[in-house]
Amino acid sequence: MIQPKLSIITINYNNAKGLDATIKSVITQTYLDFEFLIVDGDSTDRSKDVINQYSTSINYHISEPDTGIYNAMNKGIKASKGEYLLFLNSGDVLNGMTAVNDFVNNIDFAGDIIYGDYKFQTGGKIFPDNLSPLFFVRTSLPHQSTLFKREVFDKMGLYDERYKVVADRAFYIKCFLSNQFIFKHINYPLTVFDLSGVSNDPRHNEKHLLESESMFREYYGLYFDDYKNMLRMHSELNQAKRETLLGIFNRIIQRIRKVCGIR
């Protein structure tokens, strides 16, 4: 099997502890055909010291002011040379020393945008094999567990820096709606996701909502209201099911199993 050259891109700002963990998870991989790039936003903590500590294992690094997460990610894209790109930002780590090797050599590894699953401290998330426009209204794919073929950025351009919180979701939607690319799911947790990042920071909730509304209007147009209504009806249907006798019975059984440790 031909193993593609990867570019693993890590962006960082004032997260020395998380950066150290990310770097260690990358440089200990059994898969060797990759370049490692770090784009630091001129951190004022110990991040630069961490980068210098591992400099011999880093192919490219820069530390300078940027205008946000996606400006830094775009810098990484421009500097990278790999066939596939992975954005593993500081704090996120690869799921074990063989994670990249297991992912790339999976029988299902094919396509232009290849996405896996992820773990977090108390659980994980598994993504669907089949996607739809409604999926991206409900949620998004994990950039830290996605390998993008370089041609995707060549054709679609870089991340839209107008969006400070949802540009990765916007990029997925733009690619999906273009019908130019093959999305492929690999049922494997490539990374361990750091839930303390910007996307999960409650301080950014209002900005996230405003940007999401603007982004959906841009890409879905008049159909966005239809998708919102579909999500609302789906939520109401699920709530109705929960209130039936069968739904109540199932919740009781689940609680009993949890208390008794039965799986």
Side-chain angles (χ1 to χ4, degrees):
M1 179 179 291
I2 298 176
Q3 297 190 325
K5 174 69 173 290
L6 308 182
S7 293
I8 301 177
I9 301 169
T10 295
I11 69 163
N12 174 76
Y13 181 66
N14 284 346
N15 186 18
K17 182 178 179 180
L19 180 61
D20 185 81
T22 301
I23 292 174
K24 286 178 180 176
S25 80
V26 172
I27 65 177
T28 55
Q29 288 298 301
T30 57
Y31 190 92
L32 301 177
D33 197 5
F34 69 88
E35 60 173 0
F36 187 26
L37 303 87
I38 296 180
V39 181
D40 177 67
D42 197 23
S43 293
T44 56
D45 65 352
R46 291 188 55 258
S47 293
K48 295 177 184 177
D49 294 333
V50 172
I51 294 171
N52 290 330
Q53 178 183 348
Y54 297 103
S55 60
T56 56
S57 299
I58 302 168
N59 301 95
Y60 171 91
H61 64 85
I62 189 172
S63 185
E64 63 181 20
D66 56 52
T67 59
I69 294 172
Y70 301 105
N71 178 242
M73 290 170 71
N74 284 340
K75 290 181 182 180
I77 295 170
K78 294 175 183 177
S80 65
K81 300 176 182 177
E83 181 181 351
Y84 283 91
L85 282 62
L86 171 66
F87 298 95
L88 186 74
N89 295 341
S90 63
D92 297 331
V93 298
L94 293 162
N95 184 29
M97 295 173 61
T98 65
V100 173
N101 187 71
D102 293 342
F103 193 81
V104 171
N105 287 298
N106 189 286
I107 191 171
D108 291 324
F109 187 89
D112 305 302
I113 300 176
I114 309 170
Y115 59 99
D117 305 318
Y118 64 70
K119 294 180 178 180
F120 46 85
Q121 189 173 12
T122 58
K125 186 168 183 177
I126 297 175
F127 291 84
D129 294 334
N130 299 310
L131 304 172
S132 69
L134 184 61
F135 168 84
F136 288 104
V137 177
R138 182 184 297 113
T139 183
S140 188
L141 294 175
H143 70 73
Q144 70 275 8
S145 291
T146 299
L147 267 61
F148 293 91
K149 209 167 192 177
R150 172 166 298 282
E151 284 83 352
V152 174
F153 295 102
D154 292 340
K155 293 180 180 180
M156 304 302 289
L158 304 177
Y159 287 106
D160 189 342
E161 296 178 27
R162 292 177 300 159
Y163 298 118
K164 303 301 181 183
V165 182
V166 301
D168 54 339
R169 193 173 187 176
F171 189 77
Y172 278 120
I173 292 173
K174 182 167 69 170
C175 292
F176 184 77
L177 295 180
S178 76
N179 288 318
Q180 296 185 62
F181 307 109
I182 297 173
F183 283 72
K184 184 68 176 180
H185 176 229
I186 294 180
N187 188 9
Y188 179 85
L190 178 59
T191 55
V192 180
F193 182 30
D194 179 12
L195 291 176
S196 65
V198 170
S199 61
N200 291 291
D201 189 336
R203 293 175 299 177
H204 296 284
N205 283 349
E206 184 176 357
K207 178 182 286 188
H208 189 281
L209 290 173
L210 290 173
E211 284 196 1
S212 294
E213 181 79 14
S214 175
M215 179 263 294
F216 288 135
R217 294 289 178 192
E218 177 179 355
Y219 289 106
Y220 289 117
L222 296 176
Y223 294 106
F224 178 47
D225 288 327
D226 293 332
Y227 287 125
K228 284 202 300 185
N229 287 331
M230 290 171 66
L231 287 180
R232 178 182 54 79
M233 289 186 289
H234 187 266
S235 177
E236 291 174 355
L237 177 61
N238 285 338
Q239 182 61 34
K241 288 180 179 178
R242 286 178 56 83
E243 293 173 356
T244 64
L245 288 175
L246 180 58
I248 295 171
F249 177 75
N250 286 335
R251 291 200 300 278
I252 292 173
I253 293 298
Q254 290 172 6
R255 289 173 186 171
I256 293 174
R257 286 178 174 174
K258 185 175 181 180
V259 171
C260 297
I262 301 172
R263 295 188 178 182

